[in-house]
């Protein structure tokens, strides 16, 4: 397990255990109060403040514990609904819930501007864009409400931060800009490392001739991918893409200028997509904001460049499903990829490893660097990219190690792992028996960078720094 993921597991566990503890304490208050009542039956003592508080907390927790399972369908009152968080801005979250007010019984989407219940914050239950949530205290006229609980997540990505992503759409263009094989590989590796299914699409087909399309098709097939060729300009391939996105929450990633925003706009307004009936997200009532999430309007309204904000938002598709608009997130950080996991992000290596059941690599955790006995041969196009990325990840891992090692020596100890691989492990704090939080570790990396006078890193655009900051926020 990677350093990073073990920390996030710990963090989740800590959040989950806070609630029962609080509950237990409040239960004790109740019991003591009840015993007091038994011993003094004639005294009608006014309920103590603690007792009131305990009752209140029990009431709060009864609708809260535990995190709702995805299949759960809690009984809803008039002022409650289940929806999806489409955006988060400052202290507010925009949640899209279905509204059943049509005589025909068909659904429409309503956007409710929500605050998050203080209790959820208290027990550190984070609400993310993409989360399925229980909204309560809804004022259907003003379209305001409060997020009362969160459902289990099926997935969670951090860069950009979105929950319940079903699919990643890696978008490149064939021209303006031309695809660059190594950059494309970085994007694919980042997408593969999430474990979420990915679709690769190549845009602007109308700018190139058929030979170029065929040669990319063959080349990408040898990498293990079947891309969708499309053109926002001519409309070619958009039906197929629309079909692939239907009823899915999809995050589009890709370099600047390939047509991500153009594609989002095209898919949202494709009139042939406007099926009648179950498309309860379009139109979304009360959302001037959603209308504004269009390429041109955002820039004119804010008066800044259209991509100066980094707020991710989910845009409802006319046929159901969401597309995440991810301004500014167009460089893969590869922060979740480790030396050991890199091989699994290359379909070519996966294929070689699964093809040879009998002939295994001599080493269990072989890095496939051409050692004798390694079954991963070098006769494939991206082998050199694999090497290059392995090197990059090695340097980053060493940098992280050095940062913990020099700055916060006490927090890290080196452990001999399997096959003699050295691994860094945070030292348990002697008194609290608690691991250092991932936030603090990330912060120590950021501090280290801030201390560095020769620091020429572009803080805004450096994907690793950004991913670390996202995690901390
Ligand atoms: N010729 C052609 N141009 C396109 C196509 N799709 C998008 N464009 C143009 O490509 C340029 C960049 O499009 P955007 O949608 O802003 O690209 P983006 O990926 O969102 O770029 P960033 O916002 O920088 O990440 C715009 O001028 C679009 O009009 C296409 O299919 N063909
Ligand atoms: Zn090997």
């Amino acid at each position: 397990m990677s350093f990073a993921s073990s920390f996030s597991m710990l963090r989740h566990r800590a959040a989950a255990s806070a609630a029962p503890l609080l509950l237990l304490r409040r239960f004790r208050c109740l019991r003591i109060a009840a015993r007091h009542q038994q011993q003094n039956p004639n005294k009608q003592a006014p309920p103590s403040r603690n007792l009131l508080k305990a009752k209140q907390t029990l009431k709060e927790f009864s609708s809260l514990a535990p995190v709702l399972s995805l299949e759960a369908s809690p009984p809803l009152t008039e002022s409650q609904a289940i929806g999806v968080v489409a955006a988060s801005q400052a202290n507010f979250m925009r949640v899209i819930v279905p509204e059943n007010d049509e005589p025909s019984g068909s659904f429409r989407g309503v956007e409710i501007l929500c605050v998050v219940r203080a209790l959820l914050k208290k027990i550190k239950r984070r609400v993310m864009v993409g989360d399925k949530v229980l909204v309560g205290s809804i004022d259907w006229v003003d379209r305001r409400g409060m997020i009362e609980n969160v459902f289990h997540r099926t997935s969670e990505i951090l860069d950009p931060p979105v929950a319940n992503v079903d699919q990643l759409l890696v978008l490149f263009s064939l021209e303006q800009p031309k695809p660059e094989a190594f950059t494309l590989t970085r994007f694919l590796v980042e997408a593969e490392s999430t474990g979420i299914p990915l679709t690769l699409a190549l845009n602007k087909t109308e700018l190139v001739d058929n030979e170029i399309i065929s040669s990319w098709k063959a080349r990408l097939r040898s990498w293990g991918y079947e891309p969708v060729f499309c053109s926002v300009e001519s409309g070619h391939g958009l039906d197929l893409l629309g079909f692939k996105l239907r009823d899915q929450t999809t995050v589009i990633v890709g370099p600047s200028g390939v047509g991500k925003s153009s594609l989002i706009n095209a898919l949202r307004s494709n009139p042939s997509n406007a099926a009648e009936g179950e498309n309860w997200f379009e139109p979304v009532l009360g959302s001037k904001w959603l209308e504004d999430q269009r390429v041109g309007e955002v820039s004119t309204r804010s008066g800044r460049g259209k991509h100066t904000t980094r707020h991710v938002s989910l845009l409802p598709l006319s046929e159901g499903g969401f597309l995440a608009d991810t301004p500014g997130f167009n460089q893969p950080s590869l922060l979740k990829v480790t030396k050991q996991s890199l091989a699994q992000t290359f379909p070519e290596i996966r294929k070689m490893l699964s093809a040879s059941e009998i002939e295994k690599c001599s080493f269990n955790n072989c890095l496939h660097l051409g050692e004798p006995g390694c079954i991963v041969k070098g006769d494939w196009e991206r082998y050199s990219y694999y090497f290059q990325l392995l090197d990059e990840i090695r340097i980053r891992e060493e940098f992280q190690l050095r940062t913990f090692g020099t700055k916060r020596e006490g927090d890290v100890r080196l452990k001999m792992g399997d096959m003699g691989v050295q691994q860094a492990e945070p030292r348990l704090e002697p008194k609290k028996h608690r691991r250092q939080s991932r936030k603090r570790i990330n912060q120590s990396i950021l501090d280290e960078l801030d201390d560095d006078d020769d620091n020429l890193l572009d803080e805004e655009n450096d994907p690793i720094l950004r991913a670390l900051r996202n995690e901390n926020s």
Side-chain angles (χ1 to χ4, degrees), residues 42-56:
N42 296 330
K43 257 196 206 158
Q44 272 295 348
S48 72
R49 261 186 59 204
N50 266 351
L51 185 58
L52 282 178
K53 217 168 152 192
K55 272 184 177 159
Q56 179 63 21

Side-chain angles (χ1 to χ4, degrees), residues 307-308 310 328 457-463 465-466 469:
H307 288 159
T308 46
R310 291 231 158 83
L457 283 171
D458 178 353
E459 294 225 356
E460 269 294 284
N461 292 315
D462 186 83
L465 288 182
R466 201 181 54 226
R469 289 215 161 87

Side-chain angles (χ1 to χ4, degrees), residues 282-303:
E282 196 90 10
V284 173
L285 268 179
S287 188
K288 167 101 183 65
W289 168 82
L290 270 174
E291 280 307 301
D292 285 344
Q293 301 296 301
R294 292 182 179 265
V295 192
E297 291 176 46
V298 173
S299 53
T300 47
R301 229 165 52 102
S302 64

Side-chain angles (χ1 to χ4, degrees), residues 203-204 206-207 231-233 255-262 295 306-307 330:
N203 188 28
K204 310 197 188 182
E206 96 286 353
L207 292 180
S231 165
V232 175
E233 183 77 20
S256 187
V258 296
K260 296 183 295 295
S261 312
S262 312
V295 192
K306 63 178 168 181
H307 288 159
N330 48 24

Side-chain angles (χ1 to χ4, degrees), residues 402-413 425 427:
R402 211 175 49 234
T403 307
F404 310 140
T406 56
K407 273 253 144 162
R408 317 193 73 96
E409 212 153 8
D411 298 333
V412 171
R413 67 194 177 105
E425 194 179 71
R427 210 186 281 282

Side-chain angles (χ1 to χ4, degrees), residues 230-301:
C230 65
S231 165
V232 175
E233 183 77 20
S234 76
H236 171 74
L238 294 190
D239 281 352
L240 178 57
L241 272 184
F243 176 76
K244 282 179 176 277
L245 300 181
R246 191 176 179 169
D247 288 331
Q248 306 264 309
T249 294
T250 306
V251 173
I252 300 195
V253 294
S256 187
V258 296
K260 296 183 295 295
S261 312
S262 312
L263 178 67
I264 288 172
N265 288 342
L267 288 170
R268 287 188 72 202
S269 56
N270 186 356
S272 76
N273 276 350
E276 278 177 65
E278 79 259 50
N279 55 334
W280 50 272
F281 282 129
E282 196 90 10
V284 173
L285 268 179
S287 188
K288 167 101 183 65
W289 168 82
L290 270 174
E291 280 307 301
D292 285 344
Q293 301 296 301
R294 292 182 179 265
V295 192
E297 291 176 46
V298 173
S299 53
T300 47
R301 229 165 52 102

Side-chain angles (χ1 to χ4, degrees), residues 349 353 360-377 383 386:
I349 300 184
L353 290 175
K360 286 228 155 47
C361 271
S362 333
F363 308 105
N364 248 343
N365 43 9
C366 177
L367 288 177
H368 315 302
L369 294 165
E371 303 94 327
C374 174
I375 58 149
V376 176
K377 303 294 172 223
Y383 192 45
Y386 172 69

